[in-house]
Amino acid sequence: MTDILRIVAGPLAWFAAFSTVYGLHGLICGHAIDGAVLGFSLPRLLMIAAFLVSTAVLAGLVWVLHASRFASASAFVTFVSRATGWVGLVATVWTLSPTVMTTYCL
């Protein structure tokens, strides 16, 4: 990984997760997707799955940024990339948790 990619990976992954989950939310609401799977609402299961996958991807990114195999030669870049990775993970959990905890369509 190049140094600049290491530094911006967390925020870019958060942006991709945010766009994907809220895009899915728009599709579910806009097309009135409804149904049930094993007694659970299909839209709710889709939103929970999207939240969990997004969180897992960001957690994996943080894990990769902490691995010595992918570390930068610069201590500063290593520190900043790990910090922005954590920021991306926290931002993902913070901004996407309303999709799981609240109603999915009005």
Side-chain angles (χ1 to χ4, degrees):
M1 263 193 247
T2 64
D3 288 344
I4 192 70
L5 182 58
R6 280 184 190 90
I7 291 171
V8 300
L12 285 177
W14 165 78
F15 175 69
F18 183 85
S19 299
T20 302
V21 170
Y22 278 96
L24 176 63
H25 182 262
L27 286 173
I28 288 171
C29 293
H31 294 288
I33 296 174
D34 202 12
V37 176
L38 300 173
F40 296 101
S41 167
L42 178 61
R44 174 71 60 208
L45 289 176
L46 290 172
M47 296 304 292
I48 290 171
F51 172 76
L52 292 175
V53 168
S54 298
T55 303
V57 167
L58 267 293
L61 177 64
V62 168
W63 180 78
V64 166
L65 290 172
H66 279 276
S68 60
R69 178 178 174 202
F70 299 105
S72 173
S74 167
F76 175 76
V77 171
T78 299
F79 173 78
V80 172
S81 63
R82 288 176 180 173
T84 59
W86 279 104
V87 166
L89 178 60
V90 170
T92 299
V93 172
W94 183 259
T95 59
L96 299 183
S97 60
T99 63
V100 175
M101 296 181 204
T102 60
T103 59
Y104 48 88
C105 295
L106 297 176

